[in-house]
Amino acid sequence: METPAVQMTQTLKPTERLQQLLPELFNPQPVSGEQFLRLQLTPDLTIALALSWVEETLLISPQLVTPIPNMPPHALGLLSSKGQVFWAINLVQLLNLPMVLEPSQYYEVVVIRTLPGETDQNMGFQSTLFLGLVVPKIKGSIRLSLEDIVSPVNEVEIGLQPYLSGQLVVDGQTILVLSAEAIGTSQMSMPG
């Protein structure tokens, strides 16, 4: 003999049955916070960049980066993606962190938008400039509440200070929030 709940479930239309089984699908809860991309720069340092500045992430062969002579050590060279050519920057070296990018078969690259470029008078639109941040490990995205981001409590590496927006603690781990805008602005003076 079937229980009344089983009989009722069997008489429901498929959509109604789904609503009963998965109410959160039909009544989603509002999601709070902004999305950030987590990056592991050293074994002890995780940073976050606002996803609103991230154009794409790439896993590329180092041979696809064209070295340019007489550039700062953090400038690995030029890279292209989606018809755009931009600088590939070793973020760990730019921030003067102790760990260097270890030779690998692939680079993990976060392509960020920098400040808008020149307005093309002939085409009538403003171009966007990109910058490729080569990092040891892309950890994925995370949602963070902007209210939880506070000024750093402890001393941070001197190389991080010009790019730092703040910090927060997630699951017992301190995450430093870097400004993609500050990183992009600092690299705008590079030729190219």
Side-chain angles (χ1 to χ4, degrees):
M1 178 142 201
E2 294 180 350
T3 64
V6 171
Q7 287 175 341
M8 193 169 110
T9 303
Q10 291 175 345
T11 61
L12 294 175
K13 294 178 185 172
T15 306
E16 293 168 337
R17 188 164 183 224
L18 276 174
Q19 273 184 308
Q20 189 178 41
L21 295 172
L22 301 168
E24 67 277 356
L25 184 66
F26 292 90
N27 299 314
Q29 298 299 315
V31 180
S32 64
E34 300 291 322
Q35 284 197 298
F36 286 80
L37 190 62
R38 285 187 313 146
L39 309 170
Q40 190 77 42
L41 296 188
T42 69
D44 302 327
L45 178 61
T46 300
I47 66 159
L49 288 173
L51 207 52
S52 59
W53 285 86
V54 175
E55 183 69 17
E56 64 180 326
T57 60
L58 304 169
L59 187 63
I60 62 160
S61 168
Q63 287 97 6
L64 294 177
V65 177
T66 304
I68 305 295
N70 302 320
M71 294 305 298
H74 65 269
L76 299 174
L78 293 174
L79 174 64
S80 70
S81 177
K82 295 183 180 178
Q84 298 287 327
V85 176
F86 48 88
W87 286 103
I89 302 296
N90 180 331
L91 186 58
V92 173
Q93 278 188 314
L94 174 68
L95 301 175
N96 293 317
L97 295 174
M99 183 177 156
V100 296
L101 189 65
E102 295 177 13
S104 171
Q105 290 183 328
Y106 295 98
Y107 285 157
E108 292 192 40
V109 182
V110 179
V111 180
I112 61 169
R113 287 180 297 284
T114 61
L115 297 176
E118 300 291 319
T119 301
D120 187 319
Q121 299 300 328
N122 298 330
M123 303 297 269
F125 65 88
Q126 196 169 29
S127 63
T128 302
L129 301 176
F130 298 97
L131 188 63
L133 305 176
V134 178
V135 298
K137 185 74 180 151
I138 298 171
K139 302 278 287 187
S141 65
I142 186 172
R143 217 169 256 287
L144 303 174
S145 173
L146 297 179
E147 294 82 35
D148 293 340
I149 300 172
V150 297
S151 292
V153 176
N154 300 323
E155 283 292 314
V156 295
E157 299 281 339
I158 193 135
L160 288 167
Q161 290 174 359
Y163 311 108
L164 194 60
S165 293
Q167 77 172 34
L168 70 159
V169 177
V170 177
D171 298 328
Q173 180 186 27
T174 299
I175 297 177
L176 297 179
V177 179
L178 296 187
S179 165
E181 183 178 10
I183 293 168
T185 302
S186 75
Q187 299 306 298
M188 294 288 283
S189 60
M190 287 195 346

